[in-house]
Amino acid sequence: MRLRVEFTTEPFDLDEAPAHAVVAREVVEAARLDAVDVGPFGNTAEGGADQVLGAVDALLRRTLEAGATRISLQVNVVDAVDGSRDGEGER
């Protein structure tokens, strides 16, 4: 199964990337996920379920340790085992 994670960390600072945002970028880049897109207002990455879920665990732990006060995330199924998209296939 392939998953897509979308996340933001707060508080925002438009003048300089806060430490928690830098850590978040390091986590997703080190996880060797596909289609990583890091931006000032949101970040996305895709990969296998184990890689994405491991990255989410590290992301939550490390960004909180680095000063994040809020982390918003969403995880979507991109391709299920049976080939369906977005979890809409038969189970």
Side-chain angles (χ1 to χ4, degrees):
M1 172 182 337
R2 286 184 57 78
L3 301 176
R4 176 184 304 121
V5 61
E6 301 174 45
F7 65 92
T8 58
T9 61
E10 296 179 38
F12 294 115
D13 184 343
L14 295 178
D15 295 326
E16 183 178 336
H20 59 81
V22 173
V23 167
R25 179 176 33 231
E26 291 171 354
V27 167
V28 295
E29 289 174 350
R32 297 195 289 182
L33 300 172
D34 305 329
V36 174
D37 183 22
V38 178
F41 299 109
N43 310 282
T44 61
E46 290 183 17
D50 288 340
Q51 290 78 19
V52 170
L53 295 174
V56 166
D57 178 60
L59 176 80
L60 293 171
R61 293 174 189 277
R62 293 192 50 209
T63 56
L64 288 169
E65 290 171 0
T69 58
R70 179 181 172 125
I71 304 160
S72 302
L73 67 91
Q74 178 173 312
V75 177
N76 293 310
V77 174
V78 177
D79 283 317
V81 174
D82 64 4
S84 65
R85 298 200 43 90
D86 296 320
E88 294 176 1
E90 294 178 23
R91 305 272 172 191

